[in-house]
Amino acid sequence: MRKINLIWKLRGAMELKIGRAIIRHGAEDLYEYSDVDVAIVGAGPSGLTAARYLAEKGLKVIVLERRFSFGGGIGPGGNMYPKIIVQEEALPILRDFKVRYKPAGDGLYAVDPAELIAKLAAGAIDAGAKILLGVHVDDVIFRGDPPRITGLLWIWTPIQMSGMHVDPLYIQTKAVVDATGHDAEVVSVAARKVPELGIQLQGEKSAWSEVSEKLVVEHTGKVAPGLYVAGMAVAAVFGLPRMGPIFGGMLMSGKKVAEIVAKDLAAEVHAV
Ligand code: 48H
């Protein structure tokens, strides 16, 4: 009898409350962000920058990141030396995010990678963007004629890594930004699975820093109705040279894609 009383007393223990709070609030977030204005895939420099400028315009933004951390390629700096280099043109973006920089000569500036990661993420979150970690985006949804992107499919990264087949969940969105870096994973899936889009991935070319930085920013933008590309993924899609460890182009590309997406979505609202 005393044993049974003890078990009854333990019901409602702290562990139960913690577990339930996680399940309720986690599920609430997933529910809330299953329908958004913009889904950005990848929480690297271009994705986080885009998230901040889009959220600042009042759009509902989710960033889907497959790792349990953000920053993408920023953390390793240049071959793991703890510095990120940006050029003069990107300084206004660093100032927007309150990231400190030191002149490094020749119009280049050195930034601390940890500070850059923390402040880009804080800037995106403070502007209202939601960053969801540990999710792998593995498919796209296109509807209509001509086809237009209407959603993404995602799965928890550990499940994806396990190799077990588990069906993914959907996010409905008006626009998707592929900010997945070198492999342009979202555009690549769209090109393969929706051939009507006529997307041909050209593949990244070998390094030429100043040319690449300019071209990546120039080519940043729409690749199909509702589907946009930013950052290093731009080089993979359009066959541009890589730039090596300089990050100004990534920030400028993120800001540019935000401006293009916001303008396109605003034009669509007016057209309805
Ligand atoms: C969810 C995904 C998926 C997926 C990938 O690589 P990133 O830092 O990307 P960018 O383009 O913002 O910055 C590129 C820069 O870091 C770089 O590599 C440079 C400048 N290289 C120059 C050179 O010459 O080498 O971040 C992409 C993020 C990562 O965090 C991935 O984990 C994530 O996207 N990601 N998330 N679902 N399918 N694929």
Side-chain angles (χ1 to χ4, degrees):
M1 191 63 185
R2 276 188 56 202
K3 226 184 196 171
I4 292 174
N5 280 344
L6 183 64
I7 291 168
W8 279 107
K9 258 196 203 150
L10 286 177
R11 286 172 63 85
M14 197 56 163
E15 291 81 358
L16 177 70
K17 291 176 184 150
I18 294 168
R20 284 186 161 174
I22 289 174
I23 293 167
R24 171 166 293 154
H25 293 283
E28 258 172 34
D29 267 10
L30 295 180
Y31 185 92
E32 169 68 23
Y33 284 91
S34 59
D35 188 4
V36 296
D37 293 319
V38 188
I40 298 170
V41 187
S46 65
L48 291 174
T49 306
R52 178 222 166 115
Y53 290 115
L54 281 162
E56 233 172 37
K57 290 179 199 293
L59 292 161
K60 186 174 177 185
V61 178
I62 189 167
V63 182
L64 302 155
E65 168 54 52
R66 100 172 133 206
R67 298 184 200 167
F68 287 103
S69 58
F70 29 63
I74 299 173
N79 198 12
M80 300 198 297
Y81 280 76
K83 278 295 165 216
I84 288 295
I85 298 299
V86 300
Q87 59 279 55
E88 189 125 31
E89 298 93 296
L91 295 187
I93 301 178
L94 291 183
R95 285 188 213 112
D96 280 352
F97 282 88
K98 297 192 169 37
V99 174
R100 295 166 299 175
Y101 48 84
K102 273 194 186 152
D106 304 310
L108 300 176
Y109 294 81
V111 173
D112 178 73
E115 178 172 350
L116 186 59
I117 293 170
K119 291 189 175 169
L120 288 181
I125 293 165
D126 288 348
K130 168 81 183 164
I131 304 178
L132 191 56
L133 299 174
V135 298
H136 172 87
V137 171
D138 72 353
D139 210 345
V140 289
I141 305 175
F142 274 81
R143 288 285 182 277
D145 186 15
R148 189 223 150 85
I149 205 159
T150 59
L152 286 176
L153 274 71
W154 68 271
I155 192 143
W156 299 117
T157 305
I159 293 181
Q160 188 262 337
M161 289 172 80
S162 78
M164 287 167 69
H165 175 77
V166 176
D167 280 332
L169 282 175
Y170 309 100
I171 287 181
Q172 174 169 284
T173 181
K174 296 174 187 146
V176 169
V177 177
D178 182 338
T180 60
H182 290 269
D183 294 329
E185 292 197 17
V186 182
V187 177
S188 174
V189 165
R192 201 171 67 244
K193 294 199 177 183
V194 196
E196 310 87 278
L197 295 172
I199 301 171
Q200 302 278 338
L201 253 79
Q202 309 292 318
E204 177 188 297
K205 302 292 183 293
S206 69
W208 190 352
S209 301
E210 62 269 51
V211 170
S212 172
E213 285 284 275
K214 265 199 203 97
L215 291 180
V216 161
V217 179
E218 254 172 57
H219 284 73
T220 292
K222 193 171 179 170
V223 285
L227 176 59
Y228 300 80
V229 66
M232 210 53 219
V234 175
V237 173
F238 295 101
L240 311 176
R242 66 190 295 188
M243 68 288 289
I246 176 158
F247 278 68
M250 300 298 107
L251 307 177
M252 291 187 279
S253 172
K255 184 170 184 187
K256 182 176 174 190
V257 85
E259 284 158 3
I260 296 172
V261 171
K263 198 164 151 229
D264 286 0
L265 291 183
E268 283 177 18
V269 168
H270 284 121
V272 171

